[in-house]
Amino acid sequence: MSKYNYDLFVIGAGSGGVRAARIAASYGAKVGVAEEYRVGGTCVIRGCVPKKLFVYASHYSEEFEEAAGFGWTVGERSFDWKTLVANKDKEIDRLNGIYIRNLEKAGVEIIQSRATVRDAHTVRLEAEDREVTAERILIAVGATPYMPDVPGIEHAISSNEAFHLEELPKRIVVVGGGYIAVEFAGIFNGLGVETKQLYRGPLFMRGFDDDLREMLAEEMMKKGVGLRMNSDIASIVKKDGELELTLTSGEILKTDAVMYATGRIPLTRGLGLEEAGVKLGKSGQVIVDEYSKTSVDSIYAVGDVTDRANLTPVAIREGHAFADTVYGGKDVKVDHSIIPTAVFSQPEMGTVGLTEAQARERGEIDLYKTAFRGLKNTLSGSQERTFMKLVVDAKTDKVLGVHILGQGAGELIQAVGIAVTMGATKAQFDATIAVHPTAAEELVTLREKWQAPLVKAAS
Ligand code: FAD
């Protein structure tokens, strides 16, 4: 008999926590999990899944327009926000149910409560006003939107609220320059909302390849998003049923809603971690080793709370690796060096491996680039361009990075990610027979190295 109530107690039933709990239980561990909101976590309840459903909804306006070039006459159109939200909620409820059933089937005990850490082996269940003990504790509490300290910030929303707005605003200002900001700017714009996006730096989407960042900005503006770089809000005032935003430049903008997507912070405040001896980083993230172990031997952490790569598949992989290692007798570490990822901006971005700038820091590279209007757009009338770029190690011929902007880039990058993860060379890309007619065939037919113009062409 163990001297603890559980072998493993997981705090947070999101992407990482659910996977770790399920796999640990499958190895025979007695597992409990506490969730303060809804099982499934951010991705399922108010992240990836509802976001992608909204992205699909927002594409239709453009698709109706484009259909004309193919001979279609599309009649009277109207959009009902409430229907979209209700249908989305139904799907989220369904997924939430599946997550609960899967945990139960695996023998995991779910406790609906906020949980905090008392010491290396004790968890306090706030809703039930009791404590439980566990041989090991896994922190998988995720992160929450960061809302800056701007006067009037109480009038702003974050992505959390965007999923449940009572009414679709007529005008919105999205603040931020990361993937959540560009995705929501695209969603609102596509749904017919007059959308502006402000970013305080010179160019948004930091960390992504510079060519993609620049082209995404151009394409978003073509679609009607009022993008403003080097721009930020100094204050927000509610006046006569609308919001008056004073920008740091002094300019005044009027709008119906403001959404901040200015980063997310690990949810470690008040969790009792530091008191239990767990080391936290500058932004409150839990510091872990390559096995996701914290500075306390019996406490582990996975997912966004560790701020390694804040994506669902990464949290899942970390949770699975933890369970395999600790309960399955395997030695599994997660390799964070190559992570294919998509941004569901409009147009979409897909990226894997090193950016041009990162690769240049490591050595000599060859570049292959192409920008074109896809076949569909010859009839659709859309001016949207597709862009692809390969970053290749000049010495070894290994493809170090692939960066795509355009329709289907998210789907495409998953497959390209296999090749890049396997260490494919440019010669192997070239040896692959093209699929015609697709946009993707460009990836295996790019032969000419891209040469930077010596003198910038006069414009
Ligand atoms: P979470 O999924 O956040 O789960 C943490 C859980 O812990 C939550 O359910 C929370 O309620 C619970 N919790 C917190 N504190 C406590 C406590 N003290 N006691 C009990 N329970 C607690 N990733 C992608 O890969 N692709 C995407 O397209 C994508 N889109 C996104 C869009 C948005 C708008 C957002 C916000 C995120 C998106 N993400 C996306 C990121 C993804 O959602 C996260 O990386 C992922 O959910 C992290 O999983 P996690 O297990 O670390 O945390």
Side-chain angles (χ1 to χ4, degrees), residues 354-365 367 391 450 452:
L354 301 182
T355 63
E356 178 184 337
Q358 288 166 339
R360 276 195 196 288
E361 278 177 17
R362 298 187 187 190
E364 214 179 304
I365 56 166
L367 290 178
V391 181
W450 186 79

Side-chain angles (χ1 to χ4, degrees), residues 56-80 190-191 376 379-382 407:
Y56 285 128
S58 67
H59 274 296
Y60 282 97
S61 51
E62 210 170 66
E63 284 162 6
F64 289 137
E65 296 291 329
E66 291 176 1
F70 294 90
W72 289 94
T73 304
V74 180
E76 203 45 38
R77 285 164 263 164
S78 65
F79 170 70
D80 184 43
L191 293 179
K376 185 181 174 197
L379 296 199
S380 73
S382 164
Q407 222 177 35

Side-chain angles (χ1 to χ4, degrees), residues 11-18 34-44 46-49 51 113-116 140-143 145 159-160 163 179-180 183-184 264 267 271 302-305 309-315 341-342 344:
I11 305 184
S15 307
V18 166
E35 171 54 54
E36 68 176 352
Y37 184 51
R38 296 186 73 187
V39 172
T42 303
C43 183
V44 176
R46 45 192 180 188
C48 337
V49 176
K51 180 260 323 260
S113 170
R114 174 173 165 78
T116 52
V141 294
S159 58
N160 286 351
F163 291 116
Y179 78 92
I180 295 175
E183 289 176 341
F184 272 92
R264 293 175 57 81
L267 262 172
L271 207 58
V302 294
D304 284 9
V305 75
N310 300 329
L311 293 165
T312 281
V314 177
T341 186
F344 298 100

Side-chain angles (χ1 to χ4, degrees), residues 82-97:
K82 286 196 162 75
T83 302
L84 173 64
V85 173
N87 289 348
K88 177 264 296 176
D89 284 344
K90 217 158 93 189
E91 174 57 11
I92 302 309
D93 289 347
R94 190 183 73 84
L95 292 174
N96 172 241

